[in-house]
Each structure stands twice: as C-alpha cells, then as structure tokens.
Amino acid sequence: MTLLATVFNLDDTLVDSAATWNQVISAVAARHDRSWTRADWAAIQGRTTWGAYLADRCDGLTPERAISECVDGMVDAIARGTFGLQPGAAELVALAAELGPVGLVSAAPRRYVRAAASASGILRHVQVIVSGEDVQHGKPAPDPYLAAARRLGLEPEQCLAVEDSRPGVRSARAAGMTVLAITSEDTEAAQHVPDLKLAAKAMCRLWVDVYALNR
C-alpha cells in the first residue's frame, strides 16, 4: 500500500521540550508538597495517563487540575521562548508536507500542542491534531494513531508515523502504521534513525522505496 501522509509525535520528536516539561511537573508537585523523581519522569514518558499519575502523588489534586497547572506552565514557557524545535525539525515537517498531509499525535492537551506548534512555525503544515484529551485510551494503545488516520480520511497503513518514545512506537505499530523512530538504541521500531537530519533521508526512502510512491 502507498504511503500518503505523515503523522508526527510532538514532544522530543519535533520540539525540545523534555527538560521544560520535567521542570514544570516538578514545580507543580512541589506546590503540593510532593517530590518528583527520575523514576516518576520515566514512568510517564509518552503516556496519556501522565495527569492521573501526577495527581495520584499529590493530595487533593485531581487529574484535570494537574494537567491544567502543567499546561499553564508550559504555555508560559513557550511564550518566554524557553524551548524550541529540535535541529532539523522544521525541514523534516516541511518535507513531509510536500509529500502529503501532516498530522500531530500527542499525549499532551490540545491547548499546549497548538501553542507549541504555532510558536515553532510548524502549525501551518498540519491538517490534523490528535491530543491526549481526544481519545479514551492513549499511547501505547493504538487509539491516537487510529484517530489521526480516520481524521485524515486514510487507512493507517497509508500513514508514516514518526515517534521518539517506546509507548508511541507501540501505539503507531498497533494501529498498523509504518514507524520511523528517532530515539535510543533499545527502542523497538520498524525503522530507527539517530536524528532528524537522517530522518529526512529515511522518510524519503520509506515513501519511495518501500511503498513505491506514485503521486
């Protein structure tokens, strides 16, 4: 089947936001008299349930309030220019947009996703956004990527997913998409590349060689 669209994860795949997210979540936890450890940070990577995880560790904090406080902090960080795109991300998204429609699939709330994508200049290339609040079962379940394909009007097999986390890779693969993983050596993925500059070459190879793209 021919690839017709590209669906990107946002955090760490396209925007260099991990350190800021960790700092913001840690600050929220501290305001509720709780510490935030490396193990806590590792436990929420790529997962839509991160708000519930944080709330469970903070007395009197609901998942909704936990998410709202964290998003407020991240949107403020975006406005202050605390973080931006990963090197090569703008070019990678622009290339994807030349090949076909582009979607974003994120475990984060839509307000943050739109703010980050707008500030970084990639929102103009995006036709579809699936956020953590748009699906009942988030990553690593296939629901987010299935929703993205549905909104694009395509079969999952017609979409290339670009991910950085193990739950994200599992989600996209379970949905039936071809996966281009930009992450650590131990990630289980259909394809693996170490950075976004090489990802552009890998994307073209997948579109042209693997599926004999005929536009």
Side-chain angles (χ1 to χ4, degrees):
M1 186 176 289
T2 301
L3 288 174
L4 298 175
T6 308
V7 185
F8 291 95
N9 176 57
L10 180 66
D11 287 305
D12 288 357
T13 302
L14 297 178
V15 295
D16 188 15
S17 55
T20 305
W21 267 113
N22 196 21
Q23 292 166 4
V24 166
I25 295 174
S26 180
V28 171
R31 286 201 298 270
H32 294 272
D33 300 319
R34 289 293 183 270
S35 61
W36 185 253
T37 68
R38 288 185 179 181
D40 290 325
W41 175 245
I44 67 168
Q45 293 307 296
R47 297 182 182 273
T48 309
T49 54
W50 64 272
Y53 183 98
L54 174 59
D56 187 55
R57 277 146 185 79
C58 299
D59 293 338
L61 187 64
T62 64
E64 295 77 16
R65 186 60 188 170
I67 291 171
S68 178
E69 289 188 21
C70 289
V71 171
D72 287 345
M74 289 302 295
V75 171
D76 180 64
I78 291 169
R80 290 185 283 107
T82 305
F83 64 91
L85 286 172
Q86 298 275 22
E91 294 81 2
L92 184 63
V93 174
L95 171 62
E98 291 180 6
L99 295 170
V102 171
L104 288 177
V105 171
S106 175
R110 178 174 290 267
R111 179 161 67 96
Y112 162 76
V113 174
R114 290 192 63 87
S118 178
S120 63
I122 63 174
L123 186 61
R124 61 193 176 94
H125 294 301
V126 175
Q127 281 74 48
V128 165
I129 293 175
V130 177
S131 67
E133 58 208 344
D134 293 328
V135 293
Q136 183 175 1
H137 302 291
K139 303 174 186 178
D143 302 37
Y145 281 100
L146 290 174
R150 184 168 60 251
R151 294 181 185 185
L152 287 167
L154 299 171
E155 296 297 323
E157 293 79 7
Q158 294 175 305
C159 302
L160 173 66
V162 184
E163 267 283 357
D164 75 285
S165 73
R166 187 180 290 268
V169 169
R170 289 172 58 194
S171 174
R173 292 182 70 183
M177 293 187 181
T178 298
V179 182
L180 179 60
I182 307 169
T183 185
S184 60
E185 293 290 340
D186 63 352
T187 295
E188 299 173 7
Q191 300 284 332
H192 170 260
V193 293
D195 59 45
L196 296 185
K197 292 182 179 179
L198 291 179
K201 295 180 180 180
M203 179 184 293
C204 290
R205 185 182 71 248
L206 285 166
W207 279 64
V208 178
D209 295 340
V210 178
Y211 284 92
L213 180 67
N214 47 33
R215 303 295 286 172

